[in-house]
Amino acid sequence: MKATGIVRRIDDLGRVVVPKEIRRVLRIREGDPLEIYTGNTGEVILKKYSPINELSQFADEYAQTASKVLGGTIIVSDTDQVIAVSGSSRKEYSNKHIDSELDKIIQSKNRYLNDSKIVVPIISQGDPIGSITVLAKDNKVLGDAELKVAEVGASFLAKQMES
């Protein structure tokens, strides 16, 4: 565990403020869920919760299947990092943090498309929880089929979260 040198007191309602610097570094926003753990020596551990991470097996199977059908790279991410990836660019994206461009697309809740990339946010109960990204293979132009595959994947993963 890394010491920060920051001390906070618990208020009368049992709340603790997570310092702005830590929230910025860990990309924790207002309303983000946090998991609470306790350690053997009395520590309390807060961890940013990723609902998509619970679906990593579904996400991985979806990415593999979609990549085989479309031939491109399929990336499934939560709001912080890549959860599953399949295709020729697998090594480049596996376990990487998402960039600010993808974060903005996810938070906007609007799909993004151009000739070589499609991004569809995964929205569960009105909240953006991740995205499906389709990257074109060998300069192939992406079209309606790739968009529909990404939309189906995003909808499927969102439904899994709700059940």
Side-chain angles (χ1 to χ4, degrees), residues 54-75:
E54 291 182 13
L55 300 175
S56 62
Q57 184 175 352
F58 282 131
D60 191 48
E61 290 170 359
Y62 161 78
Q64 288 177 26
T65 303
S67 179
K68 281 181 186 175
V69 170
L70 298 176
T73 299
I74 308 297
I75 303 166

Side-chain angles (χ1 to χ4, degrees), residues 31-46:
D32 281 352
L34 299 174
E35 287 183 280
I36 302 170
Y37 298 93
T38 57
N40 295 337
T41 57
E43 61 266 334
V44 176
I45 302 160
L46 299 175

Side-chain angles (χ1 to χ4, degrees), residues 14-148:
R15 297 176 296 198
V16 177
V17 174
V18 177
K20 184 178 186 177
E21 298 83 11
I22 293 174
R23 292 192 318 262
R24 187 178 61 244
V25 168
L26 298 178
R27 298 170 73 170
I28 297 172
R29 297 181 194 85
E30 181 180 334
D32 281 352
L34 299 174
E35 287 183 280
I36 302 170
Y37 298 93
T38 57
N40 295 337
T41 57
E43 61 266 334
V44 176
I45 302 160
L46 299 175
K47 180 181 175 191
K48 191 170 180 183
Y49 174 71
S50 169
I52 293 281
N53 218 7
E54 291 182 13
L55 300 175
S56 62
Q57 184 175 352
F58 282 131
D60 191 48
E61 290 170 359
Y62 161 78
Q64 288 177 26
T65 303
S67 179
K68 281 181 186 175
V69 170
L70 298 176
T73 299
I74 308 297
I75 303 166
V76 181
S77 73
D78 64 11
T79 56
D80 286 317
Q81 66 182 17
V82 172
I83 301 300
V85 62
S86 187
S88 59
S89 301
R90 180 180 177 92
K91 290 181 182 176
E92 183 180 344
Y93 293 102
S94 290
N95 299 316
K96 300 281 185 181
H97 285 280
I98 67 168
D99 60 18
S100 60
E101 177 189 354
L102 181 54
D103 184 49
K104 286 178 187 174
I105 294 168
I106 293 170
Q107 296 306 317
S108 76
K109 301 181 189 178
N110 295 317
R111 64 185 188 194
Y112 169 87
L113 20 85
N114 64 27
D115 288 344
S116 61
K117 178 171 145 180
I118 293 172
V119 179
V120 177
I122 301 169
I123 301 169
S124 177
Q125 298 176 341
D127 294 325
I129 61 170
S131 69
I132 304 281
T133 301
V134 179
L135 301 176
K137 181 180 181 183
D138 301 327
N139 298 325
K140 179 185 168 203
V141 175
L142 298 174
D144 287 340
E146 291 84 1
L147 176 60
K148 290 296 180 195

